[in-house]
């Protein structure tokens, strides 16, 4: 984790500030993934379903 | 090769594991953290890192799930806020307990034994009900709109009969004592903080069996509540730097995709067909932790590997069952003749 935190520039943080930064990162990732995969699904979902159906 | 200081193989492994867990979560409506923390313990992570990272993963996953369910209108916000209050206290006590056990060197053993008991008991219950009547127990399908259709379990009726003021009204058309709700919330929060689980696989059945909340509302309220309990739990641990982002980030990336696949599968597969696999998976999780503890006690290192193989194998088995059943249903629906409308 230390190397990850260093890479992300969080090494100067501690306590509450570190916790806010980490939880904020997880929250942002979750929102980005939700909308990102949603766009992917709307773009490719039908093709994947047709492929799985063997059409 | 490394990304942000983390080996590509490790990232790929966590992403794949997250995908498996996400499929289970999307399909069953449960967080899957009961698989993450034992897996991390087996891999040799410290108990506080395993618990903290499990909680952070649960937080991220529940945000995604809540976003998906926000439009269903099956969240009792008043009940959710009360659950948050009770759970917060439980998590704090659970965290203190875990840190004390870690201080005296018993954390790994106690957390593992608690997991064995909890996973084993719930796994046995789900398997028993699934085998007994081909789909008894709890349905997690929140999209059927059958709110209020479930009979109130006997224990919930008993709890609802305690008129200890103040009484609160809950969606589903009944009242329950505020103190009963807080007690259930505190107990599940205690387990959440102690074991590093979001508590969904404990709290959702508890809301149904103990409080009597209709299943769809129990699922929606539980998801809403997990956002806060997972967030608070991981925040408390993150203060001491115990959350390992190299675990959480790839797990979440995989689970977000898996959750979409699992959620899509609920429209295709009858959950009752799969429920027995889910119960077996919980039982295998309990066996995996037991094998690891036995290996630790006997000094046989290969047991750790066996334990990890059982955990991953269990998730793989059930995820594959969901995907294969979905593809089979898709192909069956495309090859079956169109229904006649002539009559």
């Amino acid at each position: 984790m230390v190397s990850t935190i260093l890479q992300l520039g969080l090494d100067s943080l501690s306590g509450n500030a570190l916790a806010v930064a980490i939880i904020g990162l997880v929250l942002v990732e979750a929102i980005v993934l939700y909308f990102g995969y949603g766009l992917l699904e709307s773009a490719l979902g039908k093709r994947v379903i047709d492929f799985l159906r063997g059409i | 090769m490394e990304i942000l200081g983390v080996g590509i193989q490790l990232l790929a492994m966590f992403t794949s594991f997250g995908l498996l867990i996400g499929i289970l979560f999307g399909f069953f409506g449960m967080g899957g953290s009961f698989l993450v923390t034992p897996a991390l313990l087996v891999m040799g992570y410290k108990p506080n890192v395993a618990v903290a990272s499990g909680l952070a993963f649960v937080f991220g996953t529940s945000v995604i799930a809540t976003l998906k369910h926000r439009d269903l209108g099956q969240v009792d916000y008043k009940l959710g806020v009360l659950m948050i209050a009770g759970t917060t206290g439980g998590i704090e006590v659970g965290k203190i307990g875990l840190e004390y056990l870690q201080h005296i060197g018993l954390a790994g053993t106690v957390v593992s034994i608690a997991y064995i008991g909890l996973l084993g008991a719930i796994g046995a219950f789900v398997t028993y009900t699934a085998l007994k009547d081909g789909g008894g127990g709890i349905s997690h399908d929140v999209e059927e709109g059958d709110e209020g259709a479930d009979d109130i379990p006997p224990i919930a009726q008993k709890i609802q009969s305690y008129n200890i003021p103040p009484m609160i009204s809950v969606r589903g058309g009944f009242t329950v004592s505020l103190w009963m709700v807080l007690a259930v919330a505190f107990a599940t929060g205690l387990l959440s903080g102690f074991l590093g689980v979001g508590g969904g696989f404990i709290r959702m059945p508890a809301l149904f069996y103990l409080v009597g909340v209709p299943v769809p509302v129990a699922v929606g309220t539980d998801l809403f509540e997990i956002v806060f309990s997972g967030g608070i739990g991981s925040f408390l641990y993150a203060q001491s730097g115990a959350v390992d982002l190299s675990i959480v980030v790839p797990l979440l990336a995989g689970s977000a995709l898996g959750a979409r696949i699992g959620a899509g599968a609920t429209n295709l597969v009858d959950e009752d067909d799969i429920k027995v696999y889910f119960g077996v998976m919980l039982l295998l999780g309990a066996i995996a932790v037991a094998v690891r503890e036995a290996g630790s006690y006997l000094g046989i290192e290969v047991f750790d590997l066996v334990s990890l193989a059982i955990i991953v194998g269990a998730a793989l088995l059930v995820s594959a069952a969901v995907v294969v059943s979905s593809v089979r249903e898709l192909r069956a629906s495309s090859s079956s003749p169109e229904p006649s409308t002539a009559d």
Side-chain angles (χ1 to χ4, degrees):
Chain A
M1 182 195 67
V2 172
S3 60
T4 307
I5 279 182
L6 286 171
Q7 297 276 353
L8 293 172
L10 304 179
D11 52 312
S12 59
L13 303 175
S14 63
N16 284 342
L18 177 62
V20 168
I22 288 176
I23 300 307
L25 273 172
V26 174
L27 181 63
V28 168
E29 187 196 0
I31 292 169
V32 168
L33 286 171
Y34 174 74
F35 287 107
Y37 283 138
L39 287 172
L40 205 62
E41 186 178 306
S42 57
L44 301 174
K46 192 173 183 309
R47 281 187 209 176
V48 173
I49 295 294
D50 287 345
F51 172 76
L52 292 174
R53 276 185 171 143
I55 296 173
Chain B
M1 182 180 172
E2 292 188 342
I3 299 174
L4 292 173
V6 184
I8 195 84
Q9 287 179 324
L10 195 64
L11 285 174
M13 188 194 71
F14 280 131
T15 305
S16 304
F17 193 44
L19 181 69
L20 297 183
I21 294 169
I23 291 172
L24 301 177
F25 176 74
F27 191 76
F28 291 106
M30 294 180 179
S33 60
F34 54 86
L35 287 168
V36 174
T37 304
L40 296 177
L41 288 170
V42 166
M43 291 172 70
Y45 285 95
K46 290 179 181 176
N48 66 330
V49 173
V51 169
S53 302
L55 277 171
F57 167 67
V58 164
F59 167 64
T61 307
S62 62
V63 168
I64 293 167
T66 304
L67 284 169
K68 287 173 69 177
H69 287 88
R70 64 185 162 164
D71 294 330
L72 291 175
Q74 291 168 334
V75 178
D76 188 322
Y77 291 101
K78 181 170 58 181
L79 182 63
V81 169
L82 287 173
M83 291 294 289
I84 289 166
T87 305
T88 305
I91 286 177
E92 188 62 32
V93 174
K95 176 174 169 277
I96 291 169
L98 180 68
E99 286 176 348
Y100 172 73
L101 288 171
Q102 200 158 358
H103 179 67
I104 61 175
L106 291 174
T109 304
V110 173
V111 167
S112 297
I113 289 172
Y115 258 115
I116 293 167
L118 202 62
L119 288 178
I122 297 176
F125 175 75
V126 172
T127 307
Y128 172 74
T129 54
L131 291 175
K132 183 185 170 193
D133 51 22
I138 302 165
S139 168
H140 300 106
D141 191 344
V142 297
E143 297 182 4
E144 290 180 354
D146 57 348
E147 181 183 327
D150 304 278
D151 292 329
I152 297 174
I155 303 174
Q157 289 179 18
K158 185 75 177 169
I159 286 179
Q160 288 175 13
S161 72
Y162 294 125
N163 290 311
I164 307 171
M167 303 293 285
I168 60 166
S169 59
V170 176
R171 276 190 70 178
F174 63 91
T175 59
V176 65
S177 170
L178 170 79
W179 304 109
M180 291 298 163
V181 172
L182 289 177
V184 170
F186 182 85
T188 55
L190 194 66
L191 288 169
S192 185
F194 189 69
L195 300 177
V197 296
F201 78 107
I202 305 165
R203 189 164 42 246
M204 204 283 290
L207 277 170
F208 174 64
Y209 281 107
L210 301 181
V211 183
V213 177
V215 170
V217 181
V219 171
T221 305
D222 183 45
L223 286 170
F224 169 72
E225 202 269 337
I226 289 173
V227 171
F228 292 90
S229 62
I232 292 166
S234 47
F235 182 87
L236 293 172
Y237 278 105
Q239 286 175 321
S240 56
V243 175
D244 190 336
L245 288 174
S246 68
I247 298 169
V248 178
V249 170
L251 270 179
L252 199 54
S255 76
L257 179 60
R260 284 189 175 271
I261 296 171
T266 59
N267 294 324
L268 299 168
V269 184
D270 182 359
E271 185 187 335
D272 292 340
D273 294 341
I274 303 290
K275 193 175 285 176
V276 67
Y277 289 106
F278 184 66
V280 169
M281 184 187 68
L282 294 179
L283 286 172
L284 287 172
I287 291 169
V289 181
V291 167
R292 173 181 169 269
E293 281 307 299
S296 176
Y297 180 75
L298 299 170
I300 305 173
E301 288 186 5
V302 74
F303 274 33
D304 282 355
L305 199 59
V306 173
S307 175
L308 184 61
I310 294 171
I311 289 176
V312 175
L316 191 60
L317 174 75
V318 181
S319 303
V322 169
V323 172
V324 168
S325 297
S326 302
V327 173
R328 200 173 287 161
E329 288 295 326
L330 268 176
R331 294 196 168 170
S333 66
S334 64
S335 62
S336 62
E338 290 294 321
S340 170
T341 56
D343 54 347

